Amino acid sequence: MGNQVVHALRDMNLSVAPGEFVVLMGASGSGKSTLLHLIGGLDVPSSGEVEVEGRALAPMGDRERTLFRRERIGFVFQGFHLLPTLSASENVRLPLLIAGSDGRETIARAASLLETVDLAHRAEHRPEAMSGGEQQRVAIARALVNDPDLILADEATGNLYARGATDDKGQLLTHLKSIQAHLATAGALPLQIKLIIEGEEEVGSEHLENYLADQADRLACDCVVISDTAQF
């Protein structure tokens, strides 16, 4: 603000191995979302480098970064971002249709992923007919539809405040963890995927924080003090 310089991330150095499930936890304003935006190519660092699968993101132009995100990175957002006029299947298929994939193939792909997240019975339902947890699982299926190398989940449980929200949070994290394990060992879905989920320390209960810690391969706290180089 004004002439004041705010360092959202400073002295940051983080490497994530293929197939690793990493949880970032910290207070509001510690730089978690900024880090995920940099990793996902939504923002460009003022200095330093971010590499995903050996490719530096900063030198890319806007179009190249957009295509890279579309083809290599899956996002799971706090706000779901499902189109209300589309069914669960159509929301999952949308990234493939935008990329020009064959319509019949996208139907089969969406059906397979909805089954993976236990929502095959909801394929033709619109978001308004689904619970918050179900909508977020549709968002997970959509994040997987392009066979990404990396999944970034930014406060993926943050909007689950309705009845049963605690159960929804646990189910979502379990789904992410089971999908990660499946991808690392099976050929039915794409290659290994790195999962990064932002933990909301300020709104999460002690139970949720312990659950995150138990599920993660690695826990990174207060990421603002964790570089000018981050490789994923």
Side-chain angles (χ1 to χ4, degrees), residues 12-17 20 22 194 218 226-227 229-232:
M12 174 75 207
N13 190 357
L14 175 67
S15 295
V16 180
E20 192 172 16
V22 177
K194 307 164 189 173
R218 187 146 53 100
I226 304 184
S227 111
T229 302
Q231 296 182 342
F232 305 90

Side-chain angles (χ1 to χ4, degrees), residues 23 25 157 160 164-174 199-216 219:
V23 172
M25 297 189 70
T157 64
L160 303 181
T166 300
D167 291 340
D168 279 340
K169 289 181 177 184
Q171 289 175 11
L172 283 170
L173 294 169
T174 299
E200 321 94 50
E201 190 172 73
E202 64 276 18
V203 299
S205 65
E206 182 179 352
H207 172 74
L208 178 58
E209 291 177 19
N210 291 338
Y211 184 87
L212 285 165
D214 289 342
Q215 291 292 306
L219 188 65

Side-chain angles (χ1 to χ4, degrees), residues 7 9-12 38 44-50 58 227-230:
H7 297 280
L9 288 172
R10 184 171 51 189
D11 297 328
M12 174 75 207
L38 291 172
V44 178
S46 55
S47 64
E49 297 180 355
V50 177
S227 111
D228 285 348
T229 302

Side-chain angles (χ1 to χ4, degrees), residues 10-225:
R10 184 171 51 189
D11 297 328
M12 174 75 207
N13 190 357
L14 175 67
S15 295
V16 180
E20 192 172 16
F21 185 91
V22 177
V23 172
L24 304 177
M25 297 189 70
S28 178
S30 62
K32 303 183 301 294
S33 289
T34 299
L35 175 59
L36 295 188
H37 289 177
L38 291 172
I39 298 170
L42 296 172
D43 291 329
V44 178
S46 55
S47 64
E49 297 180 355
V50 177
E51 294 185 2
V52 178
E53 296 294 308
R55 294 191 60 183
L57 300 188
M60 296 181 181
D62 289 342
R63 175 173 171 76
E64 187 178 4
R65 267 197 308 275
T66 297
L67 292 175
F68 187 83
R69 283 196 303 270
R70 190 174 77 187
E71 296 170 0
R72 308 292 292 277
I73 300 174
F75 291 92
V76 183
F77 298 102
Q78 176 181 357
F80 311 150
H81 296 311
L82 302 179
L83 295 184
T85 58
L86 300 184
S87 67
S89 175
E90 290 167 335
N91 269 286
V92 173
R93 294 166 57 201
L94 191 58
L96 293 178
L97 296 173
I98 291 174
S101 299
D102 179 83
R104 290 168 297 182
E105 294 179 0
T106 67
I107 293 174
R109 175 71 174 151
S112 174
L113 287 170
L114 287 172
E115 183 174 359
T116 297
V117 295
D118 297 332
L119 284 179
H121 63 294
R122 292 290 208 174
E124 300 308 317
H125 291 206
R126 292 183 179 181
E128 64 182 11
M130 294 183 282
S131 71
E134 288 172 332
Q135 290 183 57
Q136 197 61 293
R137 280 147 61 192
V138 173
I140 291 174
R142 182 183 58 192
L144 288 166
V145 76
N146 274 333
D147 294 352
D149 299 306
L150 172 67
I151 292 179
L152 300 174
D154 190 356
E155 291 194 53
T157 64
N159 263 345
L160 303 181
Y161 292 114
R163 179 181 297 179
T166 300
D167 291 340
D168 279 340
K169 289 181 177 184
Q171 289 175 11
L172 283 170
L173 294 169
T174 299
H175 273 293
L176 286 169
K177 185 67 176 177
S178 63
I179 288 170
Q180 176 226 15
H182 179 72
L183 293 170
T185 59
L189 286 172
L191 300 175
Q192 292 176 329
I193 288 184
K194 307 164 189 173
L195 296 174
I196 299 179
I197 181 169
E198 180 178 0
E200 321 94 50
E201 190 172 73
E202 64 276 18
V203 299
S205 65
E206 182 179 352
H207 172 74
L208 178 58
E209 291 177 19
N210 291 338
Y211 184 87
L212 285 165
D214 289 342
Q215 291 292 306
D217 294 325
R218 187 146 53 100
L219 188 65
C221 297
D222 297 325
C223 62
V224 73
V225 293

